[in-house]
């Protein structure tokens, strides 16, 4: 089955700097890659997703890149702000309705 | 919140007792999912359902069973709870373009 690896497990960046979180997946049949943000004590919430027919997608300060050949994808957050502090999860699936396999998460700390 | 609720929200129980968690949706969606979340493990899929009476196992299904007798309800049962099942349990459905999570149930097995 699918296996998703996520790095780093913890990341601290100065406010205003960029943060990058990287994930790899094992099943070449996966073609849907969502990213979720979870604030303390709350539910995970989708922040951006990408499908395999696209190499990059951007939404304001957040971007995701996908390399299907290498089976890895990354989340980029630019101009980080205090409210970006949270746990971020990458995930992979064959499609939106199919079972989604998550990485173990990255705890992002934005330092003042 | 997108028509998905979980009950109870918190539960403390003893080892060996049966426990049932309920997920209720008002979206009339076909797919429903149960995950558990533990520190260092992220979110792991327990079981999922793709329709009434249609369910399948996820990554960590041992010790859990599910039932879906009607579209709106997806029940997760721990037949005999163990301390290793202490966790936060999330139900999820598809809303729009995303898999939307319920508020979660914090289960403690003593």
């Amino acid at each position: 089955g699918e296996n998703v690896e996520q790095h780093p497990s913890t990341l601290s960046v100065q406010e205003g700097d960029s943060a990058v979180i990287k994930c790899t997946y094992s099943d070449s049949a996966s073609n849907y890659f969502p990213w979720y943000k979870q604030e303390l004590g709350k539910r995970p919430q989708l922040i951006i997703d990408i499908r395999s027919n696209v190499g990059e997608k951007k939404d304001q300060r957040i971007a995701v890149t996908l390399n299907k050949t290498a089976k890895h994808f990354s989340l980029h957050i630019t101009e980080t702000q205090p409210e970006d502090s949270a746990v971020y999860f990458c995930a992979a699936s064959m499609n939106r309705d199919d079972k989604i396999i998550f990485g173990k998460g990255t705890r992002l700390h934005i330092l003042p | 919140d997108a028509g998905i609720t979980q009950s109870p929200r918190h539960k403390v129980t003893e080892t060996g007792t049966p426990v049932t968690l309920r997920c209720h949706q008002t979206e009339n969606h076909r797919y429903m999912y149960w995950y558990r979340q533990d520190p260092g493990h992220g979110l792991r899929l327990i079981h999922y359902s793709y329709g009434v009476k249609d369910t399948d196992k996820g990554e960590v299904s041992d010790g859990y069973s599910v039932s879906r007798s009607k579209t709106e309800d997806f029940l997760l049962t721990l037949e005999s709870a163990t301390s290793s099942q202490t966790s936060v349990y999330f139900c999820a459905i598809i809303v729009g373009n995303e898999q939307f999570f319920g508020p979660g149930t914090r289960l403690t097995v003593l």
Side-chain angles (χ1 to χ4, degrees):
Chain A
E2 177 64 276
N3 182 50
V4 178
E5 299 284 340
Q6 182 171 349
H7 301 279
S9 56
T10 305
L11 178 62
S12 297
V13 300
Q14 292 293 137
E15 182 178 348
D17 288 350
S18 295
V20 180
I21 301 170
K22 299 183 179 182
C23 290
T24 60
Y25 62 99
S26 61
D27 191 343
S28 57
S30 291
N31 57 23
Y32 175 63
F33 306 94
W35 285 87
Y36 284 79
K37 175 184 180 182
Q38 186 178 29
E39 297 176 351
L40 190 62
K42 297 189 177 181
R43 74 189 79 193
Q45 292 187 289
L46 181 72
I47 55 172
I48 195 167
D49 57 13
I50 191 168
R51 296 190 182 276
S52 59
N53 58 347
V54 175
E56 184 174 357
K57 185 176 178 180
K58 191 173 181 180
D59 183 3
Q60 299 182 335
R61 297 185 297 108
I62 294 173
V64 58
T65 58
L66 171 65
N67 183 327
K68 279 222 78 178
T69 302
K71 289 191 279 189
H72 65 70
F73 56 114
S74 301
L75 178 72
H76 304 252
I77 305 174
T78 59
E79 301 171 12
T80 52
Q81 300 170 4
E83 54 265 35
D84 295 330
S85 291
V87 178
Y88 292 80
F89 294 97
C90 63
S93 173
M94 282 196 282
N95 60 61
R96 187 201 69 182
D97 290 342
D98 201 359
K99 53 186 178 180
I100 293 179
I101 303 301
F102 286 82
K104 294 184 178 180
T106 296
R107 184 172 297 278
L108 176 63
H109 299 276
I110 306 302
L111 306 173
Chain B
D1 284 321
I4 179 171
T5 57
Q6 293 183 232
S7 59
R9 295 291 315 279
H10 301 271
K11 186 171 182 66
V12 179
T13 190
E14 293 188 350
T15 298
T17 60
V19 176
T20 296
L21 308 183
R22 180 185 184 229
C23 178
H24 179 79
Q25 57 131 337
T26 58
E27 301 291 329
N28 198 36
H29 195 81
R30 181 179 170 193
Y31 290 86
M32 297 184 77
Y33 311 82
W34 275 109
Y35 292 88
R36 61 177 288 174
Q37 184 173 31
D38 306 287
H41 290 279
L43 291 149
R44 292 180 292 176
L45 182 66
I46 305 172
H47 282 280
Y48 64 106
S49 171
Y50 41 96
V52 173
K53 299 190 189 303
D54 288 326
T55 64
D56 205 350
K57 295 179 180 180
E59 304 168 85
V60 289
S61 59
D62 288 348
Y64 301 95
S65 62
V66 289
S67 65
R68 183 118 179 253
S69 58
K70 44 185 179 176
T71 300
E72 57 266 36
D73 287 326
F74 192 30
L75 304 180
L76 177 70
T77 297
L78 292 66
E79 300 291 348
S80 177
T82 67
S83 58
S84 64
Q85 294 176 311
T86 291
S87 187
V88 178
Y89 291 85
F90 285 100
C91 176
I93 60 172
I94 304 295
V95 178
N97 284 322
E98 72 175 272
Q99 189 171 94
F100 189 87
F101 287 86
T105 294
R106 183 173 295 276
L107 176 67
T108 301
V109 183
L110 301 176

